[in-house]
Amino acid sequence: MSTSNSNLYSCTCRSTRSHARLQLKANLSTVQKGNSSISEYVSKIKEIADALASVHEPVSDLELVSATLGGLGDDWINIYPAIRHRSTVPTFSELHALLLQRISRCWENENEAKILRVQIVKPEIISWAPRIIVLHDFLSSEECDHLIEIARPRLQPMKVQDAETGKVIKSDNRTSFGKFLSKQESKNPIVQAIEKRISVFSQVPVENGEPMQVLRYEKNQFFKLHHDYFSDTSNLKQGGQRIATMLMYLSDNVEGGETYFPMAGAGKCSCAGKMKRGLSVKPIKGDAILFWTMGLDGKEDPRSIHAGCEVLSGEKWSATKWMRRNKHN
């Protein structure tokens, strides 16, 4: 190669590297604003990495690397110390690989946060004895509508379990319509997301839960005072005693239909328009009530007795998840 050609090659290479570094700096200004989505970050980083890798340009300016990571948010900055303590400075392609690993973990965390509705669900403890927590915005509007549509075609008049025999019988104490979700319906991604959320907030394993039950209360329908735990022994063979209940409201614009706890609190509350002693929770679409049917001593808590107040107008939809002491079978 002649000297002139060699100089030309050298100039071209330096020019390409310079262009790649300028491209990197230009993209940094966009990245550092912190407004891009993860997919946009990936696209920008990959574009820069490919340009630098094509001319074998190492990232020798650690401050530039730090600025890149800092621009992606505080959660990303922990990659920088690992880079600083390396014996050799990484190429941008290597940095890109590190970032992709981090993106993968963050993506999983973001997906988990969506499933659990992190920073959306707002817990409110309304009673310590019995233990009752209202979880505001526990379900999204779409999740509520989805559960209703699954159950609507096959609703049946609800029954109760006989306290002595454990058999399911008709009763004037419960006048709603309902349906247990089938195994196939429980595999639906939306249902599985709700199941996982119930498990995390209750700290009861998913496998300890009975199938979810969707209920509809029309005008004048109700569920009189009752306990969710079993008085008979036959039902205990399917996973032990019920220890907690998650009751989720799926509809709005209902008059009456409150969930009433007569032995919680010392004040008065409304139950189907009548003032009664205790606590009641008004149906609000997306809200849920987590209450414990067993006390801290591991025994059934009679104070967990509750009722579904009569619906005065509108239509009340709800979903119930009962949780057992052991794996339900």
Side-chain angles (χ1 to χ4, degrees):
M1 183 184 293
S2 66
T3 303
S4 58
N5 286 341
S6 176
N7 289 338
L8 178 61
Y9 174 80
S10 177
C11 288
T12 302
C13 186
R14 281 198 299 271
S15 174
T16 305
R17 292 182 182 184
S18 176
H19 174 73
R21 187 165 287 283
L22 285 172
Q23 183 186 8
L24 169 59
K25 289 182 177 180
N27 276 274
L28 274 176
S29 63
T30 303
V31 172
Q32 286 173 316
K33 291 177 182 178
N35 297 324
S36 301
S37 66
I38 286 179
S39 60
E40 289 172 329
Y41 283 141
V42 173
S43 178
K44 288 183 174 64
I45 293 167
K46 188 177 188 307
E47 183 182 341
I48 299 166
D50 291 345
L52 291 172
S54 66
V55 292
H56 309 289
E57 171 74 354
V59 177
S60 57
D61 188 346
L62 285 176
E63 289 185 358
L64 200 58
V65 176
S66 177
T68 306
L69 298 174
L72 294 176
D74 293 339
D75 193 41
W76 303 73
I77 203 70
N78 58 9
I79 300 175
Y80 180 50
I83 294 173
R84 287 192 63 182
H85 290 92
R86 286 174 53 150
S87 57
T88 57
V89 177
T91 64
F92 208 87
S93 293
E94 289 174 323
L95 173 60
H96 174 231
L98 286 170
L99 288 173
L100 284 180
Q101 290 175 11
R102 183 62 179 167
I103 286 168
S104 176
R105 288 194 293 271
C106 285
W107 187 265
E108 290 175 0
N109 291 340
E110 280 195 4
N111 189 47
E112 184 83 355
K114 288 179 181 178
I115 289 175
L116 300 181
R117 291 175 66 78
V118 173
Q119 297 183 336
I120 297 176
V121 179
K122 303 173 186 65
E124 178 188 1
I125 298 170
I126 63 171
S127 173
W128 284 108
R131 290 180 289 164
I132 309 171
I133 304 172
V134 177
L135 299 164
H136 300 286
D137 296 314
F138 187 73
L139 300 179
S140 69
S141 179
E142 292 76 16
E143 288 171 333
C144 293
D145 295 343
H146 185 76
L147 290 177
I148 290 173
E149 291 311 309
I150 288 177
R152 190 191 295 275
R154 294 192 296 279
L155 292 174
Q156 298 290 331
M158 292 309 301
K159 300 178 180 180
V160 299
Q161 287 176 315
D162 184 84
E164 295 181 2
T165 65
K167 293 182 179 180
V168 177
I169 59 173
K170 291 183 178 181
S171 172
D172 293 336
N173 290 336
R174 190 179 195 184
T175 58
S176 59
F177 293 86
K179 176 190 181 301
F180 281 99
L181 299 191
S182 67
K183 287 185 178 180
Q184 189 60 37
E185 289 166 337
S186 297
K187 293 178 181 179
N188 180 285
I190 295 176
V191 176
Q192 288 187 332
I194 297 170
E195 294 272 16
K196 183 170 185 178
R197 195 178 310 147
I198 292 171
S199 175
V200 169
F201 277 88
S202 66
Q203 289 295 281
V204 177
V206 172
E207 57 267 25
N208 288 31
E210 297 178 30
M212 195 180 299
Q213 184 186 59
V214 179
L215 300 164
R216 184 187 70 195
Y217 291 82
E218 297 175 342
K219 185 178 178 180
N220 300 327
Q221 290 188 330
F222 53 82
F223 194 175
K224 290 184 178 180
L225 286 171
H226 63 282
H227 290 105
D228 281 355
Y229 56 74
F230 300 113
S231 300
D232 65 284
T233 57
S234 60
N235 279 292
L236 301 181
K237 299 175 183 178
Q238 302 177 32
Q241 188 59 274
R242 286 174 173 170
I243 60 173
T245 300
M246 185 73 81
L247 173 61
M248 299 161 280
Y249 293 129
L250 308 181
S251 60
D252 260 333
N253 303 319
V254 180
E255 185 181 355
E258 301 92 346
T259 304
Y260 171 52
F261 298 89
M263 299 185 72
K268 290 191 174 182
C269 62
S270 175
C271 179
K274 299 176 182 178
M275 296 306 295
K276 296 187 177 184
R277 182 185 177 89
L279 286 175
S280 65
V281 182
K282 179 179 173 59
I284 296 176
K285 185 176 182 177
D287 282 5
I289 311 169
L290 171 62
F291 60 94
W292 295 84
T293 51
M294 297 187 75
L296 295 174
D297 59 1
K299 298 179 181 179
E300 293 82 5
D301 188 351
R303 296 168 299 183
S304 65
I305 191 169
H306 57 285
C309 300
E310 182 181 353
V311 172
L312 301 178
S313 67
E315 194 175 65
K316 171 188 167 184
W317 286 84
S318 63
T320 304
K321 184 74 176 179
W322 290 293
M323 290 160 275
R324 300 289 190 107
R325 188 196 296 271
N326 306 308
K327 182 178 178 181
H328 181 256
N329 46 41

